[in-house]
Amino acid sequence: MVAFTSAQFDKLPRRALSEEAYEHVRRGLIRSRYRSGERLVLRPLAAELGLSPTPVREALLRLVSEHALELNDRNTAVVPAMTQRSFAEIHDLRVDLEMRLAAAAAQRATEHGIEALVILQHQFMDASRARDDGGMAAFNADFHTTVATIAELPLTATILRNLWMRIGPLYALSRPMVQSEHEGRTHPHDDLIAALRQRDVTAAQLAVTRDFEHARRWIEPRLSS
């Protein structure tokens, strides 16, 4: 998040402040900072951001309108809980979108983009060894959204990021799967990186499929029916 001094905040229009608050919470949802069922209480959140409550309220209501948050009976923004049924719907949408993005990324990836993925995967595994669950969830989200950027399909990438606002809090509930949990095989992220280097569309899509199948088996049992 961009840091502003109080004097700079005074000069910014309210719309810019609301956008700043929106991006902060949106990133938090995508990167699993917030958990399913967590309340985002207005005044503490505004204090955290160094903002007045009004632009933060506008940001939260915008996220409610996008179904990333919901309001409880006290009119407090809450991260939605998720059932197996709603997870299955989001999961299937993500598979379709990320298969498309993986195919496009395999055709368009540059060395710079691939190196960014390599760094993120190293950070993911370092977080795993440190048992830093929050770091693992965040780097996992960053990895997938970077693939979307590499694919150069901006509309598809935007839709995916909106889905990540719903799925990110689920990854905060328990520890993401790591290489040792992938049946002794290389992690799907590493397979995807290799496929992008070879410009192999089929291999890239297979890597995404394996990643999602493991994620589904790991997450679904933790959800209510």
Side-chain angles (χ1 to χ4, degrees):
M1 189 182 78
V2 177
F4 295 105
T5 66
S6 58
Q8 287 173 318
F9 269 128
D10 292 339
K11 295 178 182 178
L12 287 172
R14 194 177 74 190
R15 183 173 179 180
L17 299 178
S18 177
E19 186 69 23
E20 180 69 18
Y22 171 83
E23 288 297 332
H24 174 83
V25 178
R26 183 175 183 267
R27 281 195 300 270
L29 291 166
I30 291 172
R31 302 183 83 238
S32 304
R33 178 180 178 185
Y34 305 113
R35 294 172 176 263
S36 294
E38 183 173 346
R39 297 185 307 145
L40 277 67
V41 182
L42 178 61
R43 292 192 179 279
L45 181 59
E48 176 189 338
L49 294 174
L51 295 173
S52 67
T54 299
V56 178
R57 182 184 296 108
E58 292 173 352
L60 294 177
L61 290 176
R62 180 178 170 187
L63 288 161
V64 169
S65 73
E66 295 174 354
H67 305 288
L69 299 174
E70 58 188 18
L71 295 177
N72 66 11
D73 55 3
R74 294 177 176 271
N75 221 31
T76 298
V78 179
V79 180
M82 190 172 292
T83 63
Q84 290 183 356
R85 182 174 180 178
S86 57
F87 169 74
E89 180 181 4
I90 293 174
H91 175 87
D92 290 346
L93 285 170
R94 284 185 60 209
V95 169
D96 182 56
L97 291 173
E98 295 213 31
M99 291 277 279
R100 294 170 184 263
L101 291 165
Q107 296 169 320
R108 297 169 182 163
T110 63
E111 281 301 318
H112 176 76
I114 291 171
E115 183 58 27
L117 292 176
V118 169
I119 291 170
L120 286 169
Q121 180 62 358
H122 284 165
Q123 291 173 319
F124 174 83
M125 296 308 298
D126 286 345
S128 168
R129 285 186 282 271
R131 302 195 68 81
D132 175 6
D133 299 350
M136 290 176 68
F139 292 129
N140 181 60
D142 290 348
F143 184 95
H144 284 266
T145 54
T146 299
V147 173
T149 300
I150 291 170
E152 297 181 10
L153 295 175
L155 180 57
T156 307
T158 296
I159 296 170
L160 176 67
R161 290 187 179 98
N162 287 341
L163 290 176
W164 265 100
M165 286 196 289
R166 294 296 307 275
I167 208 75
L170 279 182
Y171 283 80
L173 291 175
S174 58
R175 196 165 190 259
M177 298 177 76
V178 294
Q179 185 165 334
S180 62
E181 296 169 284
H182 283 276
E183 300 170 358
R185 301 171 63 184
T186 57
H187 194 282
H189 289 179
D190 293 312
D191 290 343
L192 179 55
I193 290 169
L196 298 189
R197 289 193 189 281
Q198 297 298 318
R199 298 198 177 278
D200 188 331
V201 169
T202 300
Q205 292 183 317
L206 286 172
V208 168
T209 299
R210 188 161 70 90
D211 197 16
F212 274 98
E213 284 308 306
H214 280 284
R216 185 170 198 158
R217 294 205 306 268
W218 157 58
I219 292 174
E220 242 177 0
R222 293 166 167 79
L223 303 175
S224 60
S225 58

